[in-house]
Amino acid sequence: MADCLFCRIVAGDIPATRVYEDDHLVAFKDINPQAPMHVLIIPRRHVATLNELASGDDALVGEMVRRAAAIAAENGYAQRGYRTVFNCNADAGQTVFHIHLHVLGGRLFTWPPG
Ligand code: AMP
Ligand code: ZN
């Protein structure tokens, strides 16, 4: 989608600090990091919110979650711990409507979240 920020990052039209990419996914550093490690994992294909996921996307979502674990491990946070977040729609504070999995690490996270 031409007007989607993250589709434009996938296409390379907007720069991002990529930390991983493959045929299905791109992962890059969040521009406004909320922790020492703050990476966003997105599918190359546009999906606006979690609500648009279909059963055929189960493998894609699995790849996103497993990639989060791999990136956390590469950064040394596997044992210490890290936070993964999908925000969906207004009440959760979703601002970019192309699904993305936040992967945060390097500080203590509280629960419940704000
Ligand atoms: P959310 O609030 O869950 O929709 O998260 C959107 C995230 O995208 C925020 O953490 C932003 O800081 C991040 N973001 C927005 N624009 C960019 C960009 N150009 N490059 C990297 N991250 C971005
Ligand atoms: Zn998109």
Side-chain angles (χ1 to χ4, degrees):
M1 285 183 55
D3 60 348
C4 170
L5 175 65
F6 287 174
C7 281
R8 294 183 70 193
I9 285 178
V10 168
D13 296 340
I14 292 177
T17 304
R18 296 184 183 216
V19 298
Y20 177 83
E21 59 186 308
D22 63 24
D23 288 349
H24 301 137
L25 307 179
V26 177
F28 54 92
K29 293 186 179 181
D30 196 292
I31 202 168
N32 182 24
Q34 301 301 309
M37 175 187 71
H38 189 171
V39 169
L40 302 175
I41 302 172
I42 69 174
R44 288 186 182 274
R45 178 166 57 86
H46 182 84
V47 180
T49 81
L50 294 188
N51 296 335
E52 280 69 48
L53 287 168
S55 59
D57 298 319
D58 288 358
L60 179 67
V61 175
E63 288 178 32
M64 293 174 74
V65 174
R66 281 175 32 78
R67 184 51 49 190
I71 290 170
E74 285 165 12
N75 283 274
Y77 299 127
Q79 301 309 318
R80 179 177 158 187
Y82 55 94
R83 176 69 53 88
T84 55
V85 177
F86 279 110
N87 291 321
C88 183
N89 280 336
D91 275 10
Q94 185 176 4
T95 59
V96 179
F97 289 86
H98 178 135
I99 60 169
H100 46 281
L101 179 55
H102 295 260
V103 191
L104 303 112
R107 68 171 173 85
L108 189 63
F109 298 100
T110 57
W111 193 265

